[in-house]
Amino acid sequence: MSLRGAWSRVQALRQESVRSDELLMRAALIGCVPILLAYGCAGLVYGNLPLFTPIGFIDMPGACAWLTAAMAFALAIFAVDWLVRGELEPVPPPVTVVKKQVWRPGIFPLPAPPPHVFPQPRSSPLRIGCLSVAAVACMSALAGRATLALGWQAFARPGGLAPQAEWPLYPLQWIWQWLLPLVRDRFVLGLIGVGAALFVAAQLMAWRKVRGAWFPLLVVLPMLLTLNFLGSAAFDFAAARGLGGLNEPELVSALAQQPGRYNIFTFLSLWGAIGFGTVGLIVGFWFGRSRTMDKD
């Protein structure tokens, strides 16, 4: 099989686009639910939660973190409802009753075009409520963060339930020593080199108009980011606690002064790795499924 024919297998998904979209949607939701729940729980435990916005991550302390956690829980419930009930069927159009009219002399009924009824998708009260709660919580958290930036401390409390807790960081307590080699300069440079080589290869295949030229990069790049985030999480965890012979006074001081803020960023590195790994598996599943569908 030629290279062009191999990459053109992806186009076979168009034959079952609806089914493929459903599988991808369910896989994405299954991956998002535990991440959202863990994200919200970490905000309550540590009392600090960075929120991603178009201008970057914004540090949300105190009540702002609790509001951001409420947003994450609402979105998780929305995703679970979608997984359980799927996309709701549209409301059936109303039945039109046609009355037969007898023609009489002198009466000329005006011709009426048949009604065109376009069924609209149903709205789930639970889903509408979840999205409403998420939107209100997000806007309230941003407003509270703005007041903190202006010097008002109304949203600075309450703090986290257990800022020094380490159980949300499992399994770093067990595997940090095996992940530390991932932050070595040679390994990081190797990851950058692999990513750059895949990018150049994708550009060349796209220039040669090879179908699916970007799929190898889209599958491997999340895995490279997964390794990078795992190494970062292990280093932050070990260095701040003086493990593995690491001597980083600045990280030790940061953990001692603001344990909730330090631990939440370590937590995000760990779950960022899990998230990117999930994305890579979903894209790889999509690409692998397209290969089985193509019989050329």
Side-chain angles (χ1 to χ4, degrees):
M1 182 186 298
S2 64
L3 181 62
R4 184 181 298 272
W7 295 123
S8 65
R9 290 170 171 173
V10 179
Q11 302 304 314
L13 285 173
R14 295 180 179 178
Q15 300 176 3
E16 297 184 4
S17 59
V18 175
R19 179 59 177 169
S20 301
D21 292 343
E22 292 178 356
L23 289 174
L24 288 176
M25 176 63 74
R26 293 187 66 86
L29 291 176
I30 291 173
C32 286
V33 168
I35 293 176
L36 288 171
L37 293 176
Y39 178 77
C41 290
L44 299 180
V45 171
Y46 292 132
N48 197 295
L49 202 60
L51 176 64
F52 183 74
T53 65
I55 61 174
F57 282 99
I58 298 179
D59 194 12
M60 294 289 184
C64 299
W66 287 60
L67 290 170
T68 306
M71 177 194 69
F73 291 142
L75 293 178
I77 295 174
F78 175 88
V80 170
D81 182 75
W82 195 296
L83 283 171
V84 173
R85 297 196 293 168
E87 187 174 358
L88 300 180
E89 296 294 333
V91 178
V95 179
T96 303
V97 179
V98 180
K99 295 183 178 179
K100 186 176 182 180
Q101 184 176 3
V102 180
W103 180 83
R104 297 179 181 177
I107 299 178
F108 300 94
L110 296 176
H116 295 277
V117 179
F118 298 95
Q120 299 294 329
R122 288 189 298 167
S123 298
S124 170
L126 178 60
R127 295 182 187 179
I128 295 176
C130 290
L131 293 179
S132 300
V133 169
V136 171
C138 180
M139 298 303 298
S140 300
L142 292 174
R145 188 63 181 87
T147 62
L148 290 176
L150 295 175
W152 303 341
Q153 300 299 317
F155 283 82
R157 296 289 184 273
L161 299 176
Q164 297 181 350
E166 294 185 359
W167 60 265
L169 304 178
Y170 281 114
L172 285 180
Q173 292 86 339
W174 302 335
I175 63 175
W176 62 266
Q177 62 269 27
W178 289 286
L179 298 179
L180 283 181
L182 300 180
V183 295
R184 293 177 179 173
D185 293 340
R186 292 182 179 179
F187 188 84
V188 174
L189 290 176
L191 294 180
I192 296 175
V194 173
L198 287 174
F199 179 78
V200 172
Q203 287 279 14
L204 291 175
M205 289 189 294
W207 178 66
R208 294 294 300 271
K209 300 186 183 303
V210 178
R211 295 180 180 179
W214 292 98
F215 267 91
L217 179 64
L218 295 177
V219 173
V220 177
L221 183 60
M223 298 303 177
L224 300 180
L225 293 174
T226 297
L227 296 176
N228 178 71
F229 275 100
L230 284 176
S232 178
F235 178 81
D236 292 340
F237 178 84
R241 293 162 176 81
L243 302 176
L246 297 176
N247 184 17
E248 298 290 340
E250 294 182 357
L251 299 184
V252 174
S253 176
L255 177 62
Q257 294 177 3
Q258 295 181 321
R261 188 174 186 274
Y262 187 90
N263 284 328
I264 192 61
F265 279 99
T266 306
F267 172 88
L268 290 181
S269 295
L270 175 63
W271 279 86
I274 297 174
F276 279 112
T278 302
V279 171
L281 291 176
I282 292 174
V283 176
F285 168 76
W286 187 21
F287 182 57
R289 186 172 181 273
S290 70
R291 296 183 62 182
T292 60
M293 289 175 58
D294 195 350
K295 303 301 182 181
D296 295 338

